[in-house]
Amino acid sequence: ILLDFTPQLPPNLDIKTRISLKERISRIIIFSATYNKYAFESDAALLLLAAASLPVDAFVPSTSKHESISSASSTTITDLTQLGTLTVPQIGCGTIAWSTEKGRPNPDLAELVTTACKQGGGFFDTGERYGSHAKTALGMGWGETECLVEQLIREADMNIDSNISAASKPVVATKFTPSPWRTTVDSVIEACDESRKRLGVDSIELYQIQMPDIVKPLRFLGIDKSYDEVYWDGLAECYHRGLVKNIGVSNYGPTLVTECHEHLAKRGVPLASNQIAYSLIGRHNGAQETLDRCNELGVKVLAYYPFAMGLLTGKYSSTSPELSAEDALTSALSLSNSKRSKFERKDLERYANGDGKRIPAGGVAPLLRTMEIIAMNRSTSVAQVALNYIICKGAIPIPGARTSAQYVDNMGALHWRLTEEEIIQMENEADNLGFSFDGAGFKRSDAKFVGYGMEKWSLS
């Protein structure tokens, strides 16, 4: 959101008060002027009167939210990269939080997909295991999001004036989920074919394994045979049958990704990608080593949790005066009003503010201050800086988005690059925090809740 305003503060105010007032006023402008003109006029009037009778008409937004989004959504994305045989935007879009409303696609999601198509395509990451939160938690809802993605793309094609061309059609990646009952090559082929049908395609553009074969409910009885190589053979068979165009894996560390790469190479199949948790504060516990190894092998890393579940957008930290007014606006209530579980909120609050134990007081704020300065100098946002950092490291960030506005904002991290000095500065600040991000609640970067408990893996 671009705003043009000039606060006329009384000259007798001290610098601390002036900064505080400017921050508070700009929060009101960004929030109220965007959503409610009358709320803006009344709220601003109250604040201005309290702030030494400042003139109410001193601030006039020049661009509305909808005008900005409309302009940005029509911009064609040309900042592209190679992912196996695919050409995709340098930033993808995660769909794990997508859901329907009373059996129909959410209008916000429909607008998002239409925006992606108008921008020249889009790269959406989904999985057979993705579905509404309740169903997913109960082990049901398989294929739900795949069907939703297919429907949204199909309807976007019908609604756009000229039908989606092959060049602007979104790329969709999906995933195979290792499960105790899947122990053969045929089980992979069957799962792949079902995903292919749900997505409405002849061949899946990128088919990934969601995680190493760690779901072993009978491990306590000594039954814990690994079927990773069986799954690799299954992927290779899908590739040779033309069911998929590219093969990928997820949550593989340097050792396992190397073994998989070599195993597939013997069957004449290239390994295109490896999806792992990676962010400025998520480079430890083997993540950076995995990225480095993948870059050596020519395997593209797809980075989930690029914002560290929102921590690197600034929206959970209200104590940092350098945070932009737009981020600070929602910080105080964002966790309490979010749909996250209380376990997730508790963990995120520790990361955001520190607990004086594992996480030093101040939490992630010192890093955010550095990111905010870089963002201000570049006229961009903290979130876009976080995404651009990942691009600069050679990976494709996969942030989630549920509205066209969120999608467009994420794409604002394209067509520019951080300098080496900026990257080093942020990495030094991140390293000095004294902790790394490994997820919150049941959503971990090194474990997955699988019904009977948490199963863990280690990239390192």
Side-chain angles (χ1 to χ4, degrees):
I1 302 172
L2 302 176
L3 295 173
D4 181 15
F5 60 90
T6 307
Q8 304 296 322
L9 297 176
N12 60 330
L13 293 178
D14 63 86
I15 186 65
K16 183 176 181 180
T17 302
R18 290 169 67 87
I19 292 174
S20 176
L21 286 174
K22 282 188 177 183
E23 181 184 4
R24 290 164 60 196
I25 291 169
S26 56
R27 290 186 201 179
I28 285 181
I29 291 171
I30 290 173
F31 181 75
S32 301
T34 300
Y35 296 101
N36 189 317
K37 175 177 181 293
Y38 302 103
F40 161 62
E41 292 175 348
S42 60
D43 290 352
L46 289 174
L47 178 57
L48 296 173
L49 286 172
S53 299
L54 302 180
V56 176
D57 60 354
F59 317 92
V60 182
S62 63
T63 306
S64 73
K65 172 186 177 184
H66 297 293
E67 289 171 344
S68 298
I69 292 172
S70 177
S71 175
S73 64
S74 62
T75 302
T76 300
I77 292 174
T78 57
D79 193 354
L80 309 172
T81 188
Q82 284 301 121
L83 173 55
T85 63
L86 307 170
T87 300
V88 299
Q90 291 272 12
I91 297 174
C93 180
T95 66
I96 195 169
W98 287 15
S99 61
T100 58
E101 290 186 355
K102 298 180 180 180
R104 288 290 304 162
N106 184 315
D108 288 336
L109 296 178
E111 184 182 4
L112 185 161
V113 174
T114 298
T115 295
C117 293
K118 288 181 177 179
Q119 287 187 335
F123 172 36
F124 296 104
D125 178 69
T126 189
E128 65 170 0
R129 189 68 177 79
Y130 292 6
S132 63
H133 296 302
K135 289 184 177 179
T136 300
L138 296 174
M140 300 182 292
W142 289 63
E144 185 176 293
T145 304
E146 289 178 327
C147 292
L148 175 60
V149 170
E150 184 277 331
Q151 182 178 359
L152 289 168
I153 294 175
R154 174 166 39 85
E155 293 183 355
D157 189 15
M158 292 187 293
N159 294 333
I160 293 176
D161 293 338
S162 57
N163 287 355
I164 303 173
S165 65
S168 62
K169 195 175 183 65
V171 171
V172 179
T174 191
K175 304 181 190 74
F176 165 87
T177 303
S179 305
W181 61 87
R182 290 175 165 172
T183 60
T184 65
V185 168
D186 284 342
S187 65
V188 179
I189 297 171
E190 291 169 6
C192 176
D193 200 41
E194 289 301 313
S195 287
R196 183 188 63 79
K197 293 175 183 176
R198 287 190 290 262
L199 291 172
V201 296
D202 294 328
S203 181
I204 296 172
E205 287 150 316
L206 176 62
Y207 195 52
Q208 311 157 89
I209 296 178
Q210 186 165 350
M211 58 187 174
D213 184 26
I214 57 170
V215 183
K216 304 295 178 184
L218 301 180
R219 181 177 284 117
F220 69 98
L221 296 177
I223 303 175
D224 61 352
K225 179 183 177 180
S226 170
Y227 290 93
D228 286 315
E229 291 192 7
V230 172
Y231 297 152
W232 301 342
D233 286 334
L235 292 180
E237 189 61 29
C238 291
Y239 180 86
H240 287 305
R241 291 190 184 190
L243 298 176
V244 303
K245 296 176 182 176
N246 295 273
I247 294 298
V249 294
S250 306
N251 300 302
Y252 277 29
T255 301
L256 200 55
V257 77
T258 300
E259 292 177 1
C260 180
H261 183 272
E262 294 174 351
H263 188 94
L264 291 174
K266 293 176 181 178
R267 299 202 54 177
V269 179
L271 179 61
S273 67
N274 181 21
Q275 187 167 159
I276 63 171
Y278 186 86
S279 69
L280 252 173
I281 57 175
R283 295 174 292 118
H284 306 85
N285 303 321
Q288 186 61 55
E289 292 83 353
T290 300
L291 175 62
D292 293 341
R293 181 56 179 151
C294 285
N295 286 341
E296 292 172 0
L297 294 172
V299 176
K300 198 71 174 181
V301 165
L302 311 182
Y304 68 90
Y305 291 162
F307 296 137
M309 295 178 69
L311 290 167
L312 295 181
T313 65
K315 66 180 181 179
Y316 296 150
S317 301
S318 58
T319 57
S320 172
E322 286 82 0
L323 288 179
S324 66
E326 185 180 0
D327 290 332
L329 170 69
T330 57
S331 60
L333 298 176
S334 58
L335 273 175
S336 60
N337 290 344
S338 74
K339 295 181 180 180
R340 298 193 181 280
S341 70
K342 64 179 182 179
F343 301 108
E344 291 173 26
R345 291 197 299 268
K346 183 178 179 180
D347 283 344
L348 290 172
E349 285 169 356
R350 286 193 306 110
Y351 283 117
N353 304 312
D355 58 9
K357 299 174 183 176
R358 178 173 172 263
I359 300 175
V364 77
L367 172 60
L368 289 174
R369 285 194 286 270
T370 297
M371 295 175 70
E372 176 70 13
I373 293 171
I374 293 173
M376 290 177 64
N377 290 338
R378 290 182 167 274
S379 299
T380 186
S381 69
V382 171
Q384 289 166 351
V385 169
L387 293 178
N388 196 272
Y389 168 80
I390 294 173
I391 296 172
C392 290
K393 302 300 285 188
I396 301 176
I398 310 289
R402 287 183 288 185
T403 68
S404 178
Q406 291 172 347
Y407 181 83
V408 169
D409 188 68
N410 289 341
M411 296 304 131
L414 296 174
H415 303 107
W416 59 276
R417 295 293 184 271
L418 294 162
T419 66
E420 187 64 29
E421 291 75 17
E422 290 170 328
I423 291 172
I424 292 173
Q425 185 181 7
M426 290 191 297
E427 288 182 340
N428 286 340
E429 286 291 349
D431 293 339
N432 289 336
L433 291 177
F435 65 88
S436 63
F437 177 77
D438 58 6
F442 289 122
K443 297 177 182 177
R444 319 302 299 186
S445 61
D446 60 352
K448 186 169 290 292
F449 181 72
V450 291
Y452 59 84
M454 297 290 287
E455 287 284 13
K456 300 194 68 175
W457 62 83
S458 173
L459 292 179
S460 58

